[in-house]
Amino acid sequence: MNGQAVVSQELTGARLRPAAPIPRNRVLSTFEIILELGKNPIATFGAPSYRLPYIPYPSRIRRFLMVNDPEGVKRVLLDNAGNYIKADQVQRQLRPALGNGLVTAEGADWRVQRRAIAPMFQMRHIASFAPAMSQATQEMLARWRELPHGEIIDADDEMMRLTYDIISRTVFSNDVTMDYRAMARAIAVYFENVGRVDFLAALGVPDWVPTPRRLRAWPALRFFRREMEGLIGRRRALLERDPDKAPNDLLTLLLTARDPETGTRFGEDEIFDNVMTFIFAGHETTANVLAWTLYLLSQFPDVDVRLAKESQTVLQGKVAGAEDISSLVYTRMVLEESMRLYPPAPLLAREAVGRDVIGGHAIEPRTVLLVSPWVIHRHRLLWDEAEYFDPERFAPGKREKIHRFAYIPFGAGPRICIGMGFAMQEAVICLATMIQHWRFELVPGHPVMPLARITLRPQYGLKMRLHCRD
Ligand code: HEM
């Protein structure tokens, strides 16, 4: 691990700087970057990355431009989005698992899928998933109540389990045979091997070459394929036999969706790839938000107390539901600030198709544009005291003044996260329900460090002691 990155958190003056690698005082060479990217991409960003609007990395292999200026981000993600496709490094990490689903598809394939899937994420559908979110949280809390007083949990693991439970209820009504542990292991193997920047791939080794990392990831992929094919086959049979008995979940919606323009249905591969996409994109990310929020609350007791008070006042002991969301204003502020410091998708990379000019920089075809929510959310030109935790930034009245492209945890433009409303509803319900009854104490001495492996996870997990407030 990078020598500077082992520092988990520091007290600077009287204030605590939440865990993050300490930026180096120089921009690394392209070769150093490729090496370091494989370890922890967010540790490669030197101090200049957090101070300059653009950082070009001229290299003989590939041109890179890091875009931190919100106007430049707007150009890449929105105004000239048609000129930028997802970079091949990103595709190489995601395609083995997600195939040509909504996250990875491009061009006409993407447009057709987005059009057909968008209605599934309308607010009325999302609201209908709230009871599943509340129920899963309630069951987790019931399990915690059985634990001895002051028990230590791994909050990262618990949040993964919770959001996986929610995604299984909402995507396929729990109709799976795979157990949570087997699934979590398979995802961990996949992320650890395919989810890191691959030195051999960066040197141009083609995808079909069985590199050691790819060989390690293949059993995990075979496991998913087996489980998902069984699941889809069972549901398809039920829809043919007795459509009225089919549950009203995302899988049924996917199997019955029609392209609003052409009336055609999804093919086998598109269904499979999108089920995988919902599982991968739909639970890891929200789990990370919740885990990082619990970490921050453990470090900032005044925020924790205020948050607990809000949930107790609004919920009065009951589980949060869709009807409470608009009253849980501070809960939302805390989550938004938590996603500023720990954006679950820390790096979005695009590749130019044609020429462009961004912030005075000439963009040639195949230039890689790095848009990093991690860096932009901590950029000194955009945020005061950028590294410190302060939910007040997102208070009503202040939040509207944040530049739309300076805060992009869900991306922006046509490829913005389709699950944003789902994720925010889920995160508010889960957090408010948990915090009403429980306080989380980070086990003294437990190291905390964000690690980017597609998503941003606590590298060493999050060992926390549970304290019941009741
Ligand atoms: C806090 C939780 C989440 C965060 C921070 C998040 C973040 C993101 C980001 C940044 C993107 C854009 C990637 C890019 O532009 O390269 C994205 C896309 C996507 N997300 Fe999420 N996501 C979250 C939850 C979810 C959930 C719950 C689902 C589904 C149930 C989901 C499904 C998707 C899909 C399908 C896309 C691709 C959309 C497209 O390209 O048309 N996400 N997400």
Side-chain angles (χ1 to χ4, degrees):
M1 188 200 211
N2 172 345
Q4 298 174 60
V6 287
V7 179
S8 59
Q9 56 192 35
E10 318 163 89
L11 271 174
T12 51
R15 303 191 62 185
L16 182 86
R17 173 185 176 273
I22 296 175
R24 291 183 243 224
N25 263 328
R26 65 185 177 90
V27 177
L28 305 186
S29 71
T30 310
F31 186 69
E32 285 174 307
I33 290 174
I34 292 176
L35 277 182
E36 289 291 331
L37 280 176
K39 295 185 200 159
N40 189 5
I42 57 167
T44 61
F45 303 128
S49 307
Y50 298 90
R51 285 198 305 263
L52 300 173
Y54 295 94
I55 304 202
Y57 295 93
S59 111
R60 261 187 250 143
I61 313 175
R62 203 69 176 271
R63 283 166 178 263
F64 286 87
L65 180 67
M66 181 176 210
V67 181
N68 299 326
D69 171 14
E71 288 303 322
V73 174
K74 183 165 175 272
R75 174 101 189 143
V76 178
L77 296 185
L78 177 68
D79 295 340
N80 199 17
N83 188 45
Y84 297 99
I85 55 173
K86 299 212 171 174
D88 59 0
Q89 174 58 46
V90 178
Q91 297 288 31
R92 225 177 261 130
Q93 290 179 333
L94 297 176
R95 274 188 183 256
L98 310 187
N100 196 30
L102 190 57
V103 168
T104 37
E106 291 286 357
D109 280 355
W110 170 77
R111 261 191 305 282
V112 170
Q113 293 189 35
R114 180 94 191 191
R115 232 172 17 220
I117 292 175
M120 300 176 204
F121 285 91
Q122 281 166 354
M123 261 343 270
R124 72 190 164 92
H125 275 307
I126 294 177
S128 76
F129 295 140
M133 296 168 177
S134 313
Q135 183 73 29
T137 316
Q138 199 170 23
E139 285 174 22
M140 179 185 70
L141 298 193
R143 189 162 45 77
W144 286 358
R145 283 191 194 281
E146 300 297 311
L147 298 174
H149 182 74
E151 181 73 349
I152 293 174
I153 57 162
D154 185 332
D156 180 35
D157 200 44
E158 288 286 326
M159 295 304 104
M160 281 302 161
R161 189 167 169 179
L162 171 63
T163 57
Y164 176 69
D165 188 6
I166 291 172
I167 211 77
S168 350
R169 289 170 195 242
T170 49
V171 175
F172 36 77
S173 302
N174 268 340
D175 177 24
V176 271
T177 48
M178 67 178 163
D179 88 352
Y180 160 73
R181 298 268 155 212
M183 191 282 315
R185 259 196 314 276
I187 289 197
V189 169
Y190 180 81
F191 275 33
E192 195 41 41
N193 290 292
V194 186
R196 57 162 87 201
V197 177
D198 190 339
F199 181 66
L200 293 175
L203 290 179
V205 175
D207 284 356
W208 50 264
V209 174
T211 61
R213 284 200 188 132
R214 289 173 195 160
L215 281 175
R216 280 197 290 269
W218 282 342
L221 288 172
R222 273 199 299 276
F223 167 83
F224 279 116
R225 185 156 283 276
R226 215 176 36 241
E227 294 290 338
M228 292 304 124
E229 282 174 353
L231 164 72
I232 295 166
R234 281 195 298 281
R235 180 64 57 82
R236 207 184 270 290
L238 178 61
L239 277 166
E240 276 163 23
R241 208 175 50 239
D242 199 350
D244 293 342
K245 287 225 173 88
N248 178 27
D249 56 14
L250 285 169
L251 179 58
T252 294
L253 291 171
L254 209 52
L255 284 164
T256 52
R258 285 178 189 276
D259 180 345
E261 283 185 14
T262 62
T264 48
R265 291 215 163 136
F266 282 133
E268 277 305 312
D269 287 347
E270 283 168 318
I271 303 245
F272 177 83
D273 292 345
N274 279 303
V275 170
M276 290 292 282
T277 296
F278 287 157
I279 295 178
F280 267 67
H283 94 281
E284 257 272 335
T285 41
T286 319
N288 287 326
V289 178
L290 290 168
W292 285 115
T293 306
L294 297 183
Y295 158 69
L296 286 164
L297 292 174
S298 74
Q299 303 303 298
F300 295 87
D302 47 335
V303 177
D304 179 61
V305 167
R306 190 171 155 195
L307 190 69
K309 204 162 167 207
E310 177 180 86
S311 63
Q312 285 157 357
T313 312
V314 173
L315 302 178
Q316 302 282 333
K318 75 174 185 67
V319 185
E323 65 287 0
D324 302 307
I325 291 189
S326 58
S327 311
L328 293 164
V329 177
Y330 192 61
T331 309
R332 197 180 181 96
M333 286 160 58
V334 168
L335 286 165
E336 293 204 298
E337 173 67 345
S338 165
M339 283 192 288
R340 183 185 69 82
L341 283 175
Y342 298 106
L347 307 160
L348 313 177
R350 296 289 196 268
E351 190 175 313
V353 178
R355 288 177 204 284
D356 196 7
V357 178
I358 296 190
H361 296 267
I363 308 294
E364 299 295 327
R366 296 200 71 236
T367 303
V368 173
L369 291 107
L370 187 61
V371 174
S372 166
W374 169 270
V375 172
I376 293 168
H377 291 180
R378 292 166 175 262
H379 204 278
R380 309 298 185 263
L381 295 178
L382 304 173
W383 303 90
D384 289 334
E385 307 211 290
E387 292 195 283
Y388 295 98
F389 179 59
D390 180 10
E392 285 306 316
R393 301 175 203 268
F394 291 90
K398 285 190 189 162
R399 200 213 180 292
E400 296 75 15
K401 297 195 179 107
I402 298 171
H403 192 301
R404 168 67 190 91
F405 292 84
Y407 182 65
I408 49 167
F410 293 100
R415 306 290 309 236
I416 193 169
C417 176
I418 205 166
M420 179 168 69
F422 181 111
M424 282 314 291
Q425 172 178 294
E426 178 183 14
V428 169
I429 288 178
C430 297
L431 184 64
T433 306
M434 278 190 287
I435 290 303
Q436 179 179 212
H437 301 291
W438 295 92
R439 184 169 67 76
F440 299 79
E441 178 202 0
L442 186 69
V443 169
H446 180 77
V448 181
M449 178 53 63
L451 173 72
R453 286 278 180 275
I454 306 178
T455 56
L456 193 70
R457 302 184 73 154
Q459 181 166 10
Y460 309 103
L462 272 181
K463 293 268 178 252
M464 302 193 106
R465 197 179 292 284
L466 277 176
H467 297 279
C468 190
R469 292 188 210 263
D470 303 339

